[in-house]
Amino acid sequence: MNGTSFIGFTRGSETSDTFTAFDPTTGNAVEPLFHSATLDELETTARLADAARIPYGDLPGKTRAKFLRSIADNIEALGDTLIERATLETSLPNARFIGERARTCGQLRMFADLLDEGSWVEARIDHAIPDRQPLPKPDVRSMYRPLGPVAVFCASNFPLAYSVAGGDTASALAAGCPVIAIAHTAHPGTAELVGSAVAKAVADHNMPEGTFSLIFSKGYELGQALVAHRAIKAVGFTGSRRGGRALMDIAARRDDPIPVYAEMSSVNPTFLLPNAIAKRGDALAAGLHASVTGGVGQFCTKPGLVFLPSKADSGSFLSDLRSHISNTGAAPLLTEGIRKSYETASEGRRPEVEDFTENTAADLTGFAVRPSIFETSAATFLEKPELNDEIFGPTTLLINADSKEELLEIARGLEGQLTASIHGDEEDLVEYADLIAILETKAGRLIFNGFSTGVEVCPSMVHGGPYPATSDSRSTAVGSRAITRFARLVCFQNFPDAALPDELKEANPLGIWRMIDSEFVR
Ligand code: NAP
């Protein structure tokens, strides 16, 4: 590990602008030093990415598929070194990273399979009708083509699956876009290891030099400069609403505004309907506790608002959940900044609600915090819009509602969400059909009788939602549909066959599904 950026095929300089990772269990700095890139080095990465744009984007899908598989193989070849470094920088357990590595490599291979199959480009062909009256019809063909270089901001809470070679990078590289990743300051060593795995694949597959770069950066200057850079054509981001919004605004102010796919803030409203509470309150209390405290509550899909019937109708659910929380020890958050935000937001919420439970005996060392639950009534919740705010970490807000009308009013006022969950039975689904109709307008994924944490990586997954859950509700950050975020439709009119991309050639040499004269055929 040498702590310098990857500027195409070369490494950046050892600048004096340095930072380290921290061990969240102690709060102590962890070696080595990482060196922020210079603005000149950033300029070089952008120039190289721009130069790679056409040669990399024009490679056959099957060639890019081999490259993606090779990145996955190289990440696996890092073995325990990667797992141990990720654990050191985050204090999350090894088992978590064994799973996250499998997800990361699985994602890369899922996109490789998509490229091998090839139909993701949505090729459409409308044949010419030269003798059509009153005007001849031209030959019109279209498909998805790569958007150009993408800036990817690594996520603090997914050091592997949403960082250097995570979902944004995998989908951008799959689409044919060069990537410049910005390492998260919380886990730079993990970033460097994964960066070396990607760089090796670039070299082994003779990819153009600018296909991949990785920037280390303390502070926001380099990231903002990259988003504003003419060579960059799209941005992938996972993090805070403030950070995502800042990058969206920079992108929108450019002379040529570009799309920013930011996944930001979601409180994942969870509705425990009367029949569910009555029939399986104890299992729901255990399930909710696991969902709120898993990964120390640092998942974008953590249930942050939980709606229940009145206290009288909630049976032993509340006492069960309070007891689970009172018996849960403190655990470290990822960074000192995230710890401070958790404590400040929790302090602010306590006087606003009726009840609060935490394990007061739990020891606080390093970046540790105590898991907690807040409780309030629907009437109070409706009066205090700030109770909708996300608190990132192991806490949730329980809201007792006396009537269905209160729930509907609350649902209408919710911001955009990644998920909304409903626990109930068939009878509840009929009784609360209007609630579900409202939730569909608010969230990217509706879940029945399950908790929102745990996002399956599969072609049909939607991990998106209206603002502020994401910056563009038409997209998903997880699953193979994520590829179209980094592609745009291009139409070829009256081109001779030999000059068309293979996907649009008359003989269909790639054997992909296409829509020809309005019918899907292979
Ligand atoms: P963050 O502060 O938004 O940072 C994410 C990345 O963007 C980091 O690389 C950061 O740089 C950079 N960045 C942030 N603001 C920027 C700006 N104005 N201009 C340019 N770059 C900027 O998120 P975080 O560090 O992961 O965690 C902080 C908070 O984000 C959490 O407390 C939580 O509320 C929220 N969060 C939400 C999710 C979610 O999925 N909903 C996930 C993670 C975090 P540095 O590395 O230099 O800080």
Side-chain angles (χ1 to χ4, degrees):
M1 218 172 271
N2 82 5
T4 59
S5 299
F6 293 68
I7 316 289
F9 291 155
T10 58
R11 297 299 293 266
S13 49
E14 293 187 359
T15 60
S16 56
D17 185 14
T18 56
F19 62 96
T20 67
F22 289 89
D23 175 353
T25 55
T26 59
N28 295 336
V30 168
E31 290 193 325
L33 284 180
F34 288 83
H35 304 267
S36 290
T38 63
L39 273 169
D40 281 348
E41 287 169 343
L42 188 81
E43 182 63 32
T44 305
T45 63
R47 187 175 46 70
L48 289 169
D50 193 38
R53 179 181 179 174
I54 293 176
Y56 180 69
D58 275 352
L59 289 172
K62 285 184 190 299
T63 307
R64 291 206 297 270
K66 286 198 186 102
F67 168 52
L68 291 183
R69 288 202 177 88
S70 185
I71 296 174
D73 294 345
N74 294 348
I75 290 172
E76 285 167 349
L78 292 166
D80 291 346
T81 308
L82 177 65
I83 303 295
E84 281 158 17
R85 182 71 196 188
T87 292
L88 177 66
E89 292 183 326
T90 62
S91 91
L92 296 167
N94 278 3
R96 148 75 189 259
F97 287 113
I98 291 168
E100 197 178 322
R101 178 178 59 190
R103 175 176 167 174
T104 308
C105 296
Q107 279 175 166
L108 286 156
R109 293 182 178 122
M110 174 187 71
F111 283 111
D113 291 346
L114 192 76
L115 297 181
D116 275 340
E117 196 283 330
S119 308
W120 76 271
V121 297
E122 291 190 24
R124 292 187 179 195
I125 297 175
D126 290 294
H127 287 112
I129 309 178
D131 55 359
R132 189 182 67 174
Q133 295 303 325
L135 290 172
K137 181 182 176 189
D139 182 278
V140 179
R141 297 169 188 235
S142 66
M143 64 179 282
Y144 276 119
R145 298 286 289 147
L147 202 49
V150 176
V152 171
F153 287 76
C154 298
S156 60
N157 60 342
F158 276 101
L160 301 178
Y162 267 80
S163 286
V164 176
D168 286 344
T169 297
S171 50
L173 289 175
C177 303
V179 165
I180 301 174
I182 307 263
H184 197 286
T185 42
H187 37 69
T190 307
E192 180 168 346
L193 289 167
V194 177
S196 67
V198 183
K200 180 172 182 328
V202 171
D204 289 350
H205 288 260
N206 293 317
M207 293 292 160
E209 178 170 10
T211 302
F212 172 77
S213 291
L214 170 64
I215 296 290
F216 291 112
S217 146
K218 189 176 81 176
Y220 299 158
E221 188 190 12
L222 292 180
Q224 296 187 353
L226 193 59
V227 173
H229 198 286
R230 283 180 57 242
I232 295 299
K233 298 301 172 202
V235 177
F237 171 91
T238 306
S240 64
R241 186 190 305 204
R242 201 173 49 178
R245 183 68 209 216
L247 300 179
M248 285 168 68
D249 291 345
I250 291 169
R253 281 199 303 271
R254 286 169 50 133
D255 289 343
D256 58 337
I258 55 167
V260 174
Y261 294 102
E263 194 206 307
M264 297 168 286
S265 175
S266 181
V267 286
N268 305 297
T270 300
F271 293 81
L272 307 182
L273 296 179
N275 287 333
I277 284 276
K279 289 179 189 159
R280 46 176 198 281
D282 50 348
L284 287 175
L288 180 62
H289 171 259
S291 189
V292 168
T293 56
V296 204
Q298 299 164 112
F299 290 128
C300 45
T301 49
K302 180 202 72 177
L305 294 181
V306 181
F307 298 96
L308 311 165
S310 66
K311 281 200 174 161
D313 291 331
S314 292
S316 59
F317 171 85
L318 285 171
S319 54
D320 284 354
L321 185 62
R322 288 185 198 124
S323 146
H324 288 311
I325 288 286
S326 302
N327 290 315
T328 307
L333 293 176
L334 291 161
T335 66
E336 173 61 5
I338 293 177
R339 186 196 70 77
K340 271 196 193 137
S341 299
Y342 181 86
E343 295 295 8
T344 308
S346 297
E347 288 287 304
R349 182 161 287 181
R350 281 174 77 151
E352 304 295 325
V353 299
E354 279 98 58
D355 276 303
F356 174 73
T357 307
E358 68 173 357
N359 175 358
T360 44
D363 264 356
L364 297 180
T365 50
F367 304 155
V369 296
R370 297 183 177 122
S372 68
I373 45 174
F374 296 87
E375 295 175 47
T376 195
S377 66
T380 304
F381 185 79
L382 282 164
E383 272 168 26
K384 299 183 177 177
E386 66 274 18
L387 292 177
N388 279 281
D389 293 349
E390 179 185 21
I391 301 184
F392 196 63
T395 186
T396 193
L397 172 60
L398 307 180
I399 301 117
N400 289 105
D402 289 328
S403 69
K404 182 180 150 190
E405 282 61 42
E406 276 183 327
L407 284 184
L408 294 181
E409 192 181 344
I410 287 171
R412 281 188 211 101
L414 288 170
E415 293 188 303
Q417 306 290 340
L418 292 170
T419 71
S421 305
I422 302 118
H423 293 258
D425 63 10
E426 303 283 323
E427 207 179 294
D428 285 323
L429 282 183
V430 176
E431 168 73 16
Y432 287 84
D434 36 7
L435 172 67
I436 295 163
I438 296 169
L439 294 177
E440 193 196 313
T441 68
K442 302 285 181 180
R445 177 164 57 114
L446 300 181
I447 301 160
F448 183 56
N449 283 344
F451 289 99
S452 41
T453 43
V455 182
E456 187 66 33
V457 180
C458 61
S460 50
M461 178 48 68
V462 175
H463 189 64
Y467 187 88
T470 75
S471 52
D472 187 338
S473 64
R474 297 163 299 176
S475 65
T476 174
V478 177
S480 49
R481 284 190 215 256
I483 194 172
T484 56
R485 296 176 302 166
F486 303 119
R488 70 188 179 95
L489 291 167
V490 178
C491 183
F492 297 85
Q493 188 168 323
N494 283 341
F495 263 59
D497 205 59
L500 287 166
D502 283 351
E503 289 86 345
L504 297 179
K505 286 191 163 77
E506 195 59 27
N508 194 11
L510 302 177
I512 61 173
W513 282 101
R514 309 191 291 183
M515 185 194 270
I516 300 188
D517 298 328
S518 303
E519 263 182 54
F520 279 108
V521 287
R522 200 197 269 274

